[in-house]
Amino acid sequence: MRDVHLQAFGEHGLVVAAMVDTLRDTITPGAGLSLVAEHDRQVVGHVMFTRSLLDAPRRLVDVQVLSPLAVMPQLQKRGIGSALVRHGLGVLTERAVPLVFLEGDPGYYSRFGFAPGGGLGLRKPSLRIPDGAFQVLRFPGYEPWMTGTLVYAEPFWRHDAVGLRDCDA
């Protein structure tokens, strides 16, 4: 899996791979998901769904964050990433997960039903996340009172993998 992230994320590959190593320890049955795609007995794709919190006015809500998703560069645009995401979302549909968040390209993730979170009363965990990239998918367990701020799990902050850094600052 590490090699997939190193290759797929280019200059950010080391950060993403380190974050995956840390997040892997947080996944337990029912609290997260890590899926791989294989080709000729080699891992060629990987997606993680990890537990985070929504700081809602009524109470904290367990939610999931889809991050990261990676496919080996030479195998991208063949449906591997989409298959990983769809399978993961299918598993989470069967659990009592009300919301899945991500930071990503709306043009890609809208095909799975993700929509901008800001218009739904949801706030991004960092101002560095572009508004359009902060996306959410609501599941049957979602209730209208579930609004508030997404609070990423600690490894996202430890590895400085939240939002975009201003490289010119």
Side-chain angles (χ1 to χ4, degrees):
M1 285 187 310
R2 186 171 184 78
D3 192 45
V4 172
H5 293 287
L6 290 171
Q7 290 191 43
F9 284 96
E11 67 184 70
H12 300 293
L14 287 173
V15 170
V16 176
M19 182 181 71
V20 167
D21 290 342
T22 304
L23 286 171
R24 193 173 23 234
D25 293 337
T26 70
I27 294 179
T28 60
L33 191 59
S34 180
L35 302 170
V36 296
E38 294 182 353
H39 179 70
D40 292 334
R41 296 187 190 200
Q42 297 292 319
V43 174
V44 297
H46 178 242
V47 68
M48 289 186 96
F49 295 86
T50 53
R51 180 183 177 269
S52 285
L53 295 169
L54 178 68
D55 186 8
R58 187 179 291 180
R59 65 176 170 81
L60 293 172
V61 179
D62 284 332
V63 298
Q64 292 286 307
V65 171
L66 186 169
S67 181
L69 168 64
V71 175
M72 295 295 271
Q74 66 273 21
L75 296 174
Q76 292 177 359
K77 302 194 184 298
R78 295 185 183 187
I80 295 169
S82 292
L84 286 167
V85 170
R86 282 191 179 95
H87 184 72
L89 293 175
V91 170
L92 294 177
T93 298
E94 296 174 8
R95 298 180 183 175
V97 175
L99 299 161
V100 176
F101 291 88
L102 63 81
E103 290 180 42
D105 176 5
Y108 180 78
Y109 288 101
S110 63
R111 72 182 77 184
F112 307 108
F114 283 90
L120 301 172
L122 301 164
R123 290 182 297 280
K124 54 193 178 181
S126 170
L127 295 176
R128 294 187 317 268
I129 301 170
D131 290 340
F134 177 60
Q135 298 174 67
V136 65
L137 179 63
R138 295 178 287 179
F139 282 120
Y142 165 80
E143 296 181 32
W145 63 264
M146 294 178 182
T147 61
T149 303
L150 173 63
V151 180
Y152 275 137
E154 185 275 335
F156 287 92
W157 301 103
R158 181 183 337 157
H159 293 284
D160 198 13
V162 178
L164 304 173
R165 287 282 175 198
D166 183 356
C167 297
D168 298 327

